[in-house]
Amino acid sequence: MCVVSWISRRVPRPEAPRLRPRVAPTELTKVDFTELIPEPVPFLGQAAYIQLEFFEGLSRAVGTAPTLGAKEGLSAAAGVALGKHHDLIAELRRMDVEPVDVMAPFAPATARLHHAWSEGDWYELLLAIHVTSGMLDGYFASLANGLPTDVARRVRGILDRGGAGLVLEGELAAAIAAEPGLADRLALWGRSLVGDTLLIARSALHASDARGLDEKVEPIFTELIADHTRRMDALGLTA
Amino acid sequence: MCVVSWISRRVPRPEAPRLRPRVAPTELTKVDFTELIPEPVPFLGQAAYIQLEFFEGLSRAVGTAPTLGAKEGLSAAAGVALGKHHDLIAELRRMDVEPVDVMAPFAPATARLHHAWSEGDWYELLLAIHVTSGMLDGYFASLANGLPTDVARRVRGILDRGGAGLVLEGELAAAIAAEPGLADRLALWGRSLVGDTLLIARSALHASDARGLDEKVEPIFTELIADHTRRMDALGLTA
């Protein structure tokens, strides 16, 4: 199920004047997300389903938290993910569609997240949520720019809400500092999550223009991975 | 850990004029909850912890729901329980206490709920939440009447919010209608939950006046059980 097609904007945008030579490698590969036009209904369905999965991961982390303090922080983060889910559902209802029907086709792709929640111990669960929500929240918020203006503004507002990141980073950093072997184990685990997360990101893009798309999508994924590397670095983990 | 002491109100209330003879048995045993004066900090700590447990139970039900429709309804109910928890926590912060410290002593009593979430199948989980939250929400909302006026008003507002009841009843009723043996199994399970729930309710009452208290508490528990029986009746289950 793909929710985004790669269509040029109707109005060609004029080339912006270049005030200085574009030399930085990141600029050379920089992607203009507004060239991606998501179909609103499936886009919102997939985004909503993914937030429901983050909620499930976070509430599992609440249920198995070793301290009441951790439980407390994670429950707030779970509440944010659930709020995002319900607000995206509300956008679907505005469009007079039944959210459950729209979300259902994304179950198989999103099941990869579900596996990530249940395979590891508590710290691996925390890192799994941190890695996947870090990558996908940013990705979907960027894709949202291609939606009709009003919807785009509201959906950006929903997806940009900070939630789990700080709580998860705090818990993970404390555990890594306290337990010598944990960093190596988590570094490996983090790396294993990237492929599945990219597959979920890929599933949001339209396959009909597959040949041209691959070429355009590559830099998006390069950015997602750079973003992931920064997140792992912040924890002192090799990405 | 007990959060309520049984103290008479400072101002004696005048006997209300009786317009008709009091004959109904329920009236003879009717309890005036305003005679119970909870200590605000531990009362809020226990109430907040219990809502966190309901949230955990509901989010476990979301994670194991057989259909996306059920997941959707239960996730909304989980959001309500989490909102109650966080709003009760906010009341504790107003009092300049650390919520985690205040909640911690209630972990052992509340662990009974935690067991109820993990012992049965999905329908038993739903009934466990329905039975315990039905009994305890009403009980704590009634006890809240004894708090200082402003706090009492806000806490009543928090605890009275409808949440899981309708969703749980809907899912259970549909399952009971569809699966012949389920009603008998659930009736037994429901009965087994009452004792533990009453122990949690009892733990909120002060033990220092144990002899006098037992006598006064008995009618409260009689009402809790009557309330439980109505809830089971609504599902066609023997209480």
Side-chain angles (χ1 to χ4, degrees), chain A:
Chain A
M1 184 77 175
C2 302
V3 304
V4 179
S5 48
W6 192 287
I7 306 162
S8 295
R9 285 274 176 205
R10 273 145 211 87
V11 184
R13 279 159 305 125
E15 186 86 353
R18 289 182 188 166
L19 298 178
R20 47 180 185 177
R22 299 174 62 178
V23 288
T26 53
E27 281 193 30
L28 288 177
T29 58
K30 201 84 182 176
V31 177
D32 184 355
F33 267 97
T34 59
E35 283 180 20
L36 291 162
I37 316 287
E39 289 177 38
V41 168
F43 172 85
L44 289 169
Q46 185 173 24
Y49 198 105
I50 286 174
Q51 293 301 325
L52 185 61
E53 281 296 336
F54 291 152
F55 165 72
E56 288 189 31
L58 285 163
S59 57
R60 177 188 276 256
V62 171
T64 53
T67 68
L68 192 50
K71 211 181 261 288
E72 201 45 44
L74 289 165
S75 78
V80 174
L82 189 60
K84 289 180 179 182
H85 168 71
H86 286 139
D87 290 349
L88 292 167
I89 289 292
E91 289 295 327
L92 284 169
R93 289 203 199 281
R94 274 174 185 254
M95 295 172 181
D96 280 327
V97 293
E98 172 48 48
V100 166
D101 298 341
V102 177
M103 288 191 293
F106 297 104
T110 318
R112 295 171 185 283
L113 292 179
H114 217 80
H115 288 305
W117 307 160
S118 48
E119 275 171 17
D121 66 11
W122 193 70
Y123 294 109
E124 287 166 340
L125 168 60
L126 262 50
L127 187 68
I129 303 168
H130 191 46
V131 163
T132 55
S133 68
M135 289 173 80
L136 293 176
D137 272 9
Y139 175 70
F140 275 81
S142 297
L143 284 184
N145 286 328
L147 294 169
T149 318
D150 266 18
V151 188
R153 187 177 41 77
R154 289 195 304 268
V155 170
R156 279 294 302 240
I158 295 168
L159 290 174
D160 280 348
R161 274 178 225 155
L166 280 180
V167 179
L168 295 169
E169 197 173 281
E171 290 292 336
L172 287 166
I176 289 166
E179 196 182 319
L182 188 60
D184 290 344
R185 180 154 61 84
L186 288 181
L188 276 174
W189 172 243
R191 207 171 302 157
S192 77
L193 298 162
V194 174
D196 279 351
T197 310
L198 290 180
L199 280 174
I200 293 172
R202 183 73 175 70
S203 75
L205 299 171
H206 204 285
S208 65
D209 184 21
R211 208 185 41 180
L213 192 64
D214 276 341
E215 196 179 292
K216 289 164 188 163
V217 160
E218 196 53 41
I220 301 185
F221 285 8
T222 305
E223 273 195 53
L224 275 180
I225 291 167
D227 181 42
H228 166 69
T229 305
R230 281 191 292 276
R231 202 169 292 112
M232 295 290 273
D233 278 350
L235 286 168
L237 300 178
T238 316

Side-chain angles (χ1 to χ4, degrees), chain B:
Chain B
M1 184 75 174
C2 303
V3 304
V4 179
S5 48
W6 192 288
I7 305 163
S8 294
R9 285 275 176 201
R10 274 148 212 85
V11 184
R13 279 159 304 126
E15 186 88 353
R18 289 182 187 164
L19 299 177
R20 47 180 183 176
R22 299 175 63 178
V23 289
T26 53
E27 280 193 30
L28 288 176
T29 58
K30 201 85 182 174
V31 177
D32 184 355
F33 268 98
T34 59
E35 283 180 21
L36 290 163
I37 317 287
E39 290 178 38
V41 168
F43 172 85
L44 290 168
Q46 187 174 22
Y49 198 106
I50 287 174
Q51 292 302 325
L52 186 61
E53 281 297 336
F54 291 152
F55 165 73
E56 288 188 31
L58 285 163
S59 55
R60 178 188 275 257
V62 171
T64 53
T67 68
L68 193 50
K71 212 182 260 288
E72 201 44 42
L74 289 165
S75 78
V80 174
L82 189 60
K84 288 180 179 182
H85 168 70
H86 285 139
D87 290 349
L88 292 168
I89 289 292
E91 288 295 327
L92 284 169
R93 290 203 200 282
R94 273 174 186 255
M95 295 173 181
D96 279 328
V97 294
E98 171 49 47
V100 166
D101 297 341
V102 177
M103 288 192 292
F106 297 103
T110 318
R112 295 171 185 283
L113 293 179
H114 216 82
H115 288 305
W117 307 160
S118 48
E119 274 170 18
D121 66 12
W122 193 69
Y123 295 109
E124 286 166 341
L125 169 59
L126 262 50
L127 187 69
I129 303 167
H130 191 45
V131 163
T132 56
S133 68
M135 289 173 81
L136 292 176
D137 272 9
Y139 175 71
F140 274 82
S142 297
L143 283 183
N145 286 327
L147 294 169
T149 318
D150 267 19
V151 189
R153 188 177 41 77
R154 289 195 303 268
V155 171
R156 280 293 305 239
I158 295 167
L159 291 173
D160 279 349
R161 273 177 224 155
L166 280 179
V167 179
L168 295 169
E169 198 172 280
E171 290 292 336
L172 287 166
I176 288 166
E179 196 183 320
L182 188 59
D184 290 345
R185 179 154 62 83
L186 288 181
L188 276 175
W189 172 244
R191 208 171 301 157
S192 77
L193 297 162
V194 175
D196 280 350
T197 310
L198 291 180
L199 280 174
I200 294 172
R202 183 71 176 71
S203 74
L205 300 170
H206 204 284
S208 65
D209 184 20
R211 209 184 39 178
L213 192 63
D214 277 340
E215 196 179 291
K216 290 163 187 163
V217 161
E218 197 51 43
I220 301 185
F221 286 8
T222 305
E223 275 196 51
L224 275 179
I225 291 167
D227 181 43
H228 166 69
T229 304
R230 281 189 293 275
R231 201 169 292 113
M232 296 288 275
D233 278 350
L235 287 167
L237 300 177
T238 316

